[in-house]
Amino acid sequence: MANEEARSEAWRAGLPWRQRLGLPMRRSLSRRLLVLTVLFVMLSEVLIFVPSIANFRQTWLEQNIGAAQIAALALEATPDNMVSPALQQELLENAQVLAVQLHRNNSHKLILSEKMPPEVDIHYDLRNAMGPMLIMDAFRTLFAPDGRVIEVTDYPRYGAGDYIDIVIDETPLRHAMIRYGINIFWLSVLISAVTAGLVYLVLLIVLVRPMRRITENMVAFRRNPEDARRVIAPSSREDEIGVAERELGAMQKEIRATLNQRAHLASLGAAVSKINHDLRNILANAQLISDRIGAVNDPTVQHLAPRLFASIDRAIELCTRTLKFGRADEAPPQRTRFALAPLVDEVQEMAGLAEDAHIRWRNEIAPDLMIDADRDHLFRILLNLTRNAVQAIADGRGGEGEIAVSARRAADHVHIDVTDTGPGLAEKAKAHLFEAFSGGTRSGGTGLGLAIAQELARGHGGHIDLVSTGAAGTHFRICIPLEATRLDCKQADAAA
């Protein structure tokens, strides 16, 4: 709670985005991106440095071997392959070796050496050395002590012999490798800094700033989703960031629409609660009058009175339950087994179609078809669908048309089909058919009837589907499974 209040204060104070989002610098995406970029570039430089230092050592040794080979070949210019001590020392110093042996024709040797050459500490053979071995030898040289004497064997240049051995002091090679490593290190630092800076700037512009914009918008929208200005305006990008912006904008619009719908429902509940008390008093008075009418000894009155009593009782019950929609779920269905055809006849009478000659009513349900459902809930479902059909025919066909109700038993569930000959549903109605205040089937309708009917059907474990709609009429199907079955309607249809 304290963090939430601090963030709210940061937004109101107009602080930088990191403080508004509650993100310290060490946890920000920008800092992590910069650090990771530097680390990855340095790692790449290390991977480049390792073979480079090995190659530098091999090249240095090969140059010394070439210089030693030239010095040894100078012996062939003398009659007995011997030179004066002064010339021999000068040749060795120019070649930067302590001794050299050039083996030719498997027996002949040209040897140029100091009088007392030092003892060799380690021997290296470059003739068949592979990459891993050269790398290991390079690191041995880097960590070797000064003054170590090594012997190196390699093939002479231009096929001037079988092989050549040189003895050298490794210290100059080690110092040269250290200088080379230092140069590589500073060059790597420079390359890492430049590369990391360029990569960071590109990623900051391409990724971090758009993600920061999306994050800030999400935080702002969360604080006040009712404000239409908080809905993100998607950019024209076609990549993943553009898709995320468009999807976020669509989601925010849907959330705002849902919140507005809930606010509408809350307002409706408040308005209904104000008239509910007076309406129930009026219905109670009508009930008293109907009781007195029921006492009249007239055959017509006695025939119509039960229907009047049932209608008033249902009106009082519906008035009691009105506030439940939008505030709580409908009461669980109280299932009983009853014949479906008489219930459909009651729906016809309640919809006012018994005496209406313009709209024909067809009850095509077999008299022996039984259903396991809540009688009152199913009555409300059928009545809502019937009233929508009557209204559609009245608006689109001039009051002339037909409504038919049929039913069939299929694999532990019952299909009830309600069809009419109205002009069909509009595209907007089909897109939000069972949504309150969005799926009205006629101009000015709220869509509450279909929303309530769908809720009642789902309470039975079933559903209502729009099978077809068009110029020839509209066809709804109600699926009510048996209470004992574990299959939903779609699974039952597949099993059938």
Side-chain angles (χ1 to χ4, degrees):
M1 182 63 69
N3 291 337
E4 185 66 26
E5 294 177 356
R7 291 180 185 180
S8 299
E9 290 296 332
W11 279 100
R12 287 191 290 269
L15 296 178
W17 66 271
R18 288 192 186 89
Q19 299 182 34
R20 295 202 302 266
L21 297 179
L23 293 175
M25 180 60 186
R26 65 178 182 277
R27 293 173 53 192
S28 68
L29 182 61
S30 302
R31 180 181 180 275
R32 293 181 181 181
L33 178 62
L34 180 60
V35 172
L36 289 176
T37 303
V38 173
L39 289 179
F40 288 149
V41 173
M42 290 298 294
L43 178 61
S44 301
E45 292 294 336
V46 169
L47 296 178
I48 295 173
F49 171 77
V50 170
S52 297
I53 195 68
N55 183 68
F56 175 84
R57 173 180 174 274
Q58 183 181 13
T59 302
W60 195 93
L61 291 175
E62 289 176 349
Q63 290 176 350
N64 278 40
I65 289 174
Q69 178 182 340
I70 295 174
L73 290 176
L75 296 178
E76 291 188 331
T78 62
D80 52 358
N81 294 335
M82 295 291 292
V83 295
S84 64
L87 179 59
Q88 177 175 279
Q89 186 64 31
E90 184 176 356
L91 290 172
L92 291 173
E93 289 179 357
N94 289 334
Q96 295 183 351
V97 297
L98 302 178
V100 56
Q101 295 184 12
L102 178 60
H103 300 261
R104 307 178 71 176
N105 301 324
N106 295 324
S107 61
H108 183 59
K109 298 180 181 180
L110 295 176
I111 301 175
L112 188 64
S113 173
E114 295 180 346
K115 291 183 179 180
M116 295 295 295
E119 183 180 352
V120 174
D121 296 316
I122 190 170
H123 176 263
Y124 294 109
D125 192 342
L126 300 182
R127 289 176 294 180
N128 298 312
M130 304 299 291
M133 183 60 67
L134 291 173
I135 292 174
M136 293 176 62
D137 292 342
F139 279 96
R140 290 190 187 122
T141 300
L142 282 174
F143 295 103
D146 288 342
R148 193 172 72 163
V149 177
I150 63 173
E151 182 181 10
V152 182
T153 302
D154 197 3
Y155 293 111
R157 294 183 178 182
Y158 313 116
D162 297 325
Y163 62 92
I164 184 172
D165 295 321
I166 63 172
V167 178
I168 62 173
D169 183 1
E170 195 180 34
T171 302
L173 171 60
R174 178 173 175 271
H175 290 173
M177 291 175 64
I178 291 175
R179 289 192 299 271
Y180 176 80
I182 293 174
N183 293 335
I184 289 293
F185 171 77
W186 287 113
L187 180 61
S188 301
V189 171
L190 178 61
I191 294 175
S192 299
V194 174
T195 305
L198 293 176
V199 172
Y200 172 76
L201 288 177
V202 172
L203 294 180
L204 180 65
I205 296 172
V206 175
L207 292 178
V208 177
R209 285 184 177 175
M211 287 302 300
R212 185 186 304 166
R213 175 174 175 263
I214 293 175
T215 304
E216 290 181 345
N217 178 268
M218 292 171 64
V219 174
F221 183 81
R222 177 180 175 272
R223 291 183 62 248
N224 188 10
E226 290 83 5
D227 189 352
R229 297 173 300 174
R230 303 297 175 92
V231 177
I232 190 171
S235 63
S236 59
R237 295 178 57 159
E238 298 296 334
D239 55 7
E240 290 81 356
I241 296 294
V243 174
E245 290 175 344
R246 288 189 289 274
E247 292 299 323
L248 176 60
M251 182 183 67
Q252 289 175 337
K253 291 178 181 178
E254 291 179 3
I255 291 175
R256 290 191 68 253
T258 301
L259 292 175
N260 290 335
Q261 179 178 334
R262 290 186 177 181
H264 195 172
L265 285 172
S267 300
L268 176 63
V272 171
S273 65
K274 294 178 181 179
I275 67 173
N276 187 48
H277 180 267
D278 294 338
L279 181 59
R280 290 183 63 184
N281 290 337
I282 295 172
L283 290 173
N285 187 35
Q287 190 176 34
L288 293 175
I289 296 174
S290 65
D291 290 340
R292 296 182 61 183
I293 293 176
V296 176
N297 188 15
D298 183 271
T300 303
V301 173
Q302 294 298 323
H303 175 70
L304 297 176
R307 301 177 187 176
L308 177 62
F309 298 158
S311 298
I312 294 177
D313 289 341
R314 280 199 178 99
I316 294 174
E317 181 65 18
L318 286 175
C319 185
T320 303
R321 297 182 180 180
T322 299
L323 293 179
K324 289 186 177 181
F325 185 81
R327 290 179 49 187
D329 294 335
E330 289 283 348
Q334 303 298 318
R335 286 175 174 263
T336 57
R337 186 174 176 81
F338 58 91
L340 182 58
L343 179 67
V344 175
D345 289 336
E346 293 182 26
V347 172
Q348 176 190 5
E349 295 175 1
M350 183 61 68
L353 296 175
E355 297 82 15
D356 193 339
H358 298 288
I359 299 179
R360 296 177 298 279
W361 175 269
R362 297 204 335 256
N363 184 350
E364 300 177 349
I365 300 175
D368 59 344
L369 180 62
M370 307 296 289
I371 189 170
D372 181 15
D374 186 307
R375 199 173 193 280
D376 182 62
H377 285 191
L378 188 56
F379 177 86
R380 293 168 61 188
I381 294 173
L382 291 170
L383 183 60
N384 280 324
L385 292 177
T386 301
R387 285 176 174 170
N388 284 344
V390 170
Q391 188 65 44
I393 294 174
D395 292 343
R397 302 295 186 188
E400 295 286 342
E402 181 180 271
I403 300 174
V405 181
S406 61
R408 62 183 177 87
R409 180 77 174 269
D412 296 337
H413 69 291
V414 176
H415 280 167
I416 305 173
D417 295 304
V418 180
T419 60
D420 65 68
T421 58
L425 301 179
E427 291 297 326
K428 179 181 179 182
K430 289 192 292 184
H432 305 278
L433 193 58
F434 298 103
E435 298 178 14
F437 305 109
S438 300
T441 58
R442 65 183 188 275
S443 178
T446 64
L448 278 173
L450 288 177
I452 294 173
Q454 184 71 282
E455 182 181 356
L456 294 174
R458 287 175 177 169
H460 287 78
H463 57 84
I464 303 175
D465 288 330
L466 174 63
V467 179
S468 63
T469 185
T474 301
H475 178 187
F476 281 98
R477 174 168 294 166
I478 308 166
C479 176
I480 302 295
L482 296 180
E483 185 176 20
T485 185
R486 294 184 178 180
L487 300 177
D488 60 24
C489 292
K490 294 182 180 179
Q491 293 172 333
D493 287 338

mmCIF file of all heavy atoms in Angstrom, residues 36-58:
data_model
loop_
_atom_site.group_PDB
_atom_site.id
_atom_site.type_symbol
_atom_site.label_atom_id
_atom_site.label_comp_id
_atom_site.label_asym_id
_atom_site.label_seq_id
_atom_site.Cartn_x
_atom_site.Cartn_y
_atom_site.Cartn_z
ATOM 1 N N LEU A 36 24.704 -5.790 -20.026
ATOM 2 C CA LEU A 36 24.762 -7.035 -20.794
ATOM 3 C C LEU A 36 25.456 -6.824 -22.131
ATOM 4 O O LEU A 36 26.214 -7.701 -22.589
ATOM 5 C CB LEU A 36 23.347 -7.572 -21.013
ATOM 6 C CG LEU A 36 22.647 -8.147 -19.774
ATOM 7 C CD1 LEU A 36 21.222 -8.551 -20.109
ATOM 8 C CD2 LEU A 36 23.416 -9.343 -19.227
ATOM 9 N N THR A 37 25.230 -5.673 -22.765
ATOM 10 C CA THR A 37 25.891 -5.406 -24.032
ATOM 11 C C THR A 37 27.401 -5.343 -23.858
ATOM 12 O O THR A 37 28.163 -5.939 -24.634
ATOM 13 C CB THR A 37 25.376 -4.084 -24.635
ATOM 14 O OG1 THR A 37 23.949 -4.149 -24.779
ATOM 15 C CG2 THR A 37 26.011 -3.821 -25.987
ATOM 16 N N VAL A 38 27.864 -4.640 -22.810
ATOM 17 C CA VAL A 38 29.305 -4.556 -22.536
ATOM 18 C C VAL A 38 29.876 -5.934 -22.242
ATOM 19 O O VAL A 38 30.947 -6.315 -22.741
ATOM 20 C CB VAL A 38 29.568 -3.586 -21.367
ATOM 21 C CG1 VAL A 38 31.035 -3.633 -20.962
ATOM 22 C CG2 VAL A 38 29.180 -2.165 -21.757
ATOM 23 N N LEU A 39 29.177 -6.713 -21.426
ATOM 24 C CA LEU A 39 29.664 -8.042 -21.072
ATOM 25 C C LEU A 39 29.771 -8.943 -22.297
ATOM 26 O O LEU A 39 30.762 -9.662 -22.471
ATOM 27 C CB LEU A 39 28.743 -8.679 -20.028
ATOM 28 C CG LEU A 39 28.798 -8.064 -18.617
ATOM 29 C CD1 LEU A 39 27.812 -8.771 -17.707
ATOM 30 C CD2 LEU A 39 30.205 -8.173 -18.048
ATOM 31 N N PHE A 40 28.775 -8.897 -23.161
ATOM 32 C CA PHE A 40 28.793 -9.755 -24.340
ATOM 33 C C PHE A 40 29.894 -9.339 -25.302
ATOM 34 O O PHE A 40 30.556 -10.198 -25.908
ATOM 35 C CB PHE A 40 27.433 -9.729 -25.037
ATOM 36 C CG PHE A 40 26.353 -10.462 -24.284
ATOM 37 C CD1 PHE A 40 25.038 -10.051 -24.354
ATOM 38 C CD2 PHE A 40 26.676 -11.553 -23.494
ATOM 39 C CE1 PHE A 40 24.047 -10.726 -23.660
ATOM 40 C CE2 PHE A 40 25.696 -12.222 -22.791
ATOM 41 C CZ PHE A 40 24.379 -11.809 -22.874
ATOM 42 N N VAL A 41 30.108 -8.025 -25.464
ATOM 43 C CA VAL A 41 31.185 -7.574 -26.346
ATOM 44 C C VAL A 41 32.542 -7.965 -25.767
ATOM 45 O O VAL A 41 33.436 -8.425 -26.500
ATOM 46 C CB VAL A 41 31.090 -6.051 -26.561
ATOM 47 C CG1 VAL A 41 32.296 -5.548 -27.336
ATOM 48 C CG2 VAL A 41 29.818 -5.702 -27.308
ATOM 49 N N MET A 42 32.716 -7.810 -24.451
ATOM 50 C CA MET A 42 33.978 -8.219 -23.822
ATOM 51 C C MET A 42 34.198 -9.723 -23.952
ATOM 52 O O MET A 42 35.321 -10.186 -24.174
ATOM 53 C CB MET A 42 33.970 -7.813 -22.353
ATOM 54 C CG MET A 42 34.061 -6.312 -22.115
ATOM 55 S SD MET A 42 35.616 -5.612 -22.769
ATOM 56 C CE MET A 42 36.824 -6.394 -21.694
ATOM 57 N N LEU A 43 33.117 -10.485 -23.817
ATOM 58 C CA LEU A 43 33.242 -11.929 -23.995
ATOM 59 C C LEU A 43 33.672 -12.261 -25.417
ATOM 60 O O LEU A 43 34.522 -13.144 -25.636
ATOM 61 C CB LEU A 43 31.911 -12.608 -23.672
ATOM 62 C CG LEU A 43 31.857 -14.134 -23.856
ATOM 63 C CD1 LEU A 43 32.865 -14.821 -22.944
ATOM 64 C CD2 LEU A 43 30.457 -14.655 -23.590
ATOM 65 N N SER A 44 33.121 -11.548 -26.381
ATOM 66 C CA SER A 44 33.534 -11.762 -27.769
ATOM 67 C C SER A 44 35.000 -11.411 -27.966
ATOM 68 O O SER A 44 35.735 -12.123 -28.673
ATOM 69 C CB SER A 44 32.662 -10.917 -28.708
ATOM 70 O OG SER A 44 31.296 -11.256 -28.566
ATOM 71 N N GLU A 45 35.454 -10.332 -27.326
ATOM 72 C CA GLU A 45 36.857 -9.946 -27.439
ATOM 73 C C GLU A 45 37.773 -10.987 -26.803
ATOM 74 O O GLU A 45 38.868 -11.263 -27.303
ATOM 75 C CB GLU A 45 37.073 -8.580 -26.787
ATOM 76 C CG GLU A 45 36.413 -7.426 -27.526
ATOM 77 C CD GLU A 45 37.023 -7.191 -28.887
ATOM 78 O OE1 GLU A 45 38.192 -7.571 -29.092
ATOM 79 O OE2 GLU A 45 36.330 -6.642 -29.760
ATOM 80 N N VAL A 46 37.320 -11.572 -25.691
ATOM 81 C CA VAL A 46 38.119 -12.623 -25.045
ATOM 82 C C VAL A 46 38.244 -13.827 -25.973
ATOM 83 O O VAL A 46 39.320 -14.422 -26.126
ATOM 84 C CB VAL A 46 37.491 -13.031 -23.692
ATOM 85 C CG1 VAL A 46 38.155 -14.287 -23.149
ATOM 86 C CG2 VAL A 46 37.635 -11.899 -22.694
ATOM 87 N N LEU A 47 37.136 -14.186 -26.592
ATOM 88 C CA LEU A 47 37.170 -15.315 -27.516
ATOM 89 C C LEU A 47 38.063 -15.025 -28.723
ATOM 90 O O LEU A 47 38.648 -15.945 -29.306
ATOM 91 C CB LEU A 47 35.747 -15.641 -27.981
ATOM 92 C CG LEU A 47 34.781 -16.115 -26.881
ATOM 93 C CD1 LEU A 47 33.393 -16.346 -27.460
ATOM 94 C CD2 LEU A 47 35.310 -17.392 -26.227
ATOM 95 N N ILE A 48 38.171 -13.753 -29.092
ATOM 96 C CA ILE A 48 39.076 -13.381 -30.180
ATOM 97 C C ILE A 48 40.522 -13.321 -29.685
ATOM 98 O O ILE A 48 41.460 -13.698 -30.396
ATOM 99 C CB ILE A 48 38.649 -12.029 -30.785
ATOM 100 C CG1 ILE A 48 37.264 -12.160 -31.441
ATOM 101 C CG2 ILE A 48 39.666 -11.529 -31.795
ATOM 102 C CD1 ILE A 48 36.692 -10.841 -31.923
ATOM 103 N N PHE A 49 40.742 -12.864 -28.442
ATOM 104 C CA PHE A 49 42.086 -12.688 -27.908
ATOM 105 C C PHE A 49 42.823 -14.024 -27.769
ATOM 106 O O PHE A 49 44.027 -14.114 -28.038
ATOM 107 C CB PHE A 49 42.011 -11.986 -26.553
ATOM 108 C CG PHE A 49 43.309 -11.949 -25.810
ATOM 109 C CD1 PHE A 49 44.309 -11.048 -26.169
ATOM 110 C CD2 PHE A 49 43.559 -12.828 -24.766
ATOM 111 C CE1 PHE A 49 45.510 -11.018 -25.487
ATOM 112 C CE2 PHE A 49 44.754 -12.802 -24.075
ATOM 113 C CZ PHE A 49 45.735 -11.896 -24.437
ATOM 114 N N VAL A 50 42.110 -15.059 -27.334
ATOM 115 C CA VAL A 50 42.771 -16.346 -27.058
ATOM 116 C C VAL A 50 43.468 -16.893 -28.296
ATOM 117 O O VAL A 50 44.671 -17.207 -28.248
ATOM 118 C CB VAL A 50 41.740 -17.348 -26.486
ATOM 119 C CG1 VAL A 50 42.339 -18.741 -26.415
ATOM 120 C CG2 VAL A 50 41.290 -16.915 -25.107
ATOM 121 N N PRO A 51 42.807 -17.033 -29.440
ATOM 122 C CA PRO A 51 43.563 -17.502 -30.618
ATOM 123 C C PRO A 51 44.545 -16.469 -31.150
ATOM 124 O O PRO A 51 45.555 -16.824 -31.769
ATOM 125 C CB PRO A 51 42.472 -17.814 -31.649
ATOM 126 C CG PRO A 51 41.302 -16.997 -31.231
ATOM 127 C CD PRO A 51 41.366 -16.905 -29.745
ATOM 128 N N SER A 52 44.254 -15.177 -30.892
ATOM 129 C CA SER A 52 45.164 -14.137 -31.400
ATOM 130 C C SER A 52 46.519 -14.201 -30.704
ATOM 131 O O SER A 52 47.563 -14.067 -31.361
ATOM 132 C CB SER A 52 44.539 -12.757 -31.196
ATOM 133 O OG SER A 52 43.355 -12.633 -31.935
ATOM 134 N N ILE A 53 46.515 -14.402 -29.379
ATOM 135 C CA ILE A 53 47.789 -14.436 -28.657
ATOM 136 C C ILE A 53 48.590 -15.672 -29.044
ATOM 137 O O ILE A 53 49.835 -15.646 -29.116
ATOM 138 C CB ILE A 53 47.547 -14.383 -27.123
ATOM 139 C CG1 ILE A 53 48.844 -14.041 -26.388
ATOM 140 C CG2 ILE A 53 46.939 -15.671 -26.605
ATOM 141 C CD1 ILE A 53 49.319 -12.642 -26.632
ATOM 142 N N ALA A 54 47.886 -16.785 -29.326
ATOM 143 C CA ALA A 54 48.577 -17.988 -29.775
ATOM 144 C C ALA A 54 49.179 -17.767 -31.162
ATOM 145 O O ALA A 54 50.318 -18.207 -31.437
ATOM 146 C CB ALA A 54 47.618 -19.176 -29.792
ATOM 147 N N ASN A 55 48.452 -17.095 -32.030
ATOM 148 C CA ASN A 55 48.965 -16.818 -33.360
ATOM 149 C C ASN A 55 50.140 -15.848 -33.312
ATOM 150 O O ASN A 55 51.106 -15.977 -34.083
ATOM 151 C CB ASN A 55 47.840 -16.244 -34.226
ATOM 152 C CG ASN A 55 48.272 -15.991 -35.653
ATOM 153 O OD1 ASN A 55 48.550 -16.913 -36.414
ATOM 154 N ND2 ASN A 55 48.328 -14.713 -36.026
ATOM 155 N N PHE A 56 50.074 -14.859 -32.392
ATOM 156 C CA PHE A 56 51.187 -13.919 -32.246
ATOM 157 C C PHE A 56 52.449 -14.656 -31.829
ATOM 158 O O PHE A 56 53.548 -14.423 -32.368
ATOM 159 C CB PHE A 56 50.829 -12.862 -31.202
ATOM 160 C CG PHE A 56 51.957 -11.910 -30.896
ATOM 161 C CD1 PHE A 56 52.182 -10.798 -31.693
ATOM 162 C CD2 PHE A 56 52.803 -12.137 -29.816
ATOM 163 C CE1 PHE A 56 53.233 -9.929 -31.408
ATOM 164 C CE2 PHE A 56 53.850 -11.266 -29.524
ATOM 165 C CZ PHE A 56 54.064 -10.154 -30.333
ATOM 166 N N ARG A 57 52.376 -15.585 -30.888
ATOM 167 C CA ARG A 57 53.539 -16.356 -30.425
ATOM 168 C C ARG A 57 54.105 -17.210 -31.544
ATOM 169 O O ARG A 57 55.337 -17.256 -31.750
ATOM 170 C CB ARG A 57 53.128 -17.238 -29.252
ATOM 171 C CG ARG A 57 54.208 -18.206 -28.778
ATOM 172 C CD ARG A 57 53.713 -19.044 -27.621
ATOM 173 N NE ARG A 57 54.672 -20.069 -27.258
ATOM 174 C CZ ARG A 57 54.740 -21.274 -27.826
ATOM 175 N NH1 ARG A 57 53.889 -21.581 -28.819
ATOM 176 N NH2 ARG A 57 55.654 -22.157 -27.418
ATOM 177 N N GLN A 58 53.210 -17.870 -32.293
ATOM 178 C CA GLN A 58 53.686 -18.720 -33.375
ATOM 179 C C GLN A 58 54.392 -17.894 -34.442
ATOM 180 O O GLN A 58 55.457 -18.281 -34.952
ATOM 181 C CB GLN A 58 52.501 -19.481 -33.986
ATOM 182 C CG GLN A 58 52.911 -20.451 -35.085
ATOM 183 C CD GLN A 58 51.717 -21.174 -35.685
ATOM 184 O OE1 GLN A 58 50.567 -20.784 -35.445
ATOM 185 N NE2 GLN A 58 51.967 -22.223 -36.456
#
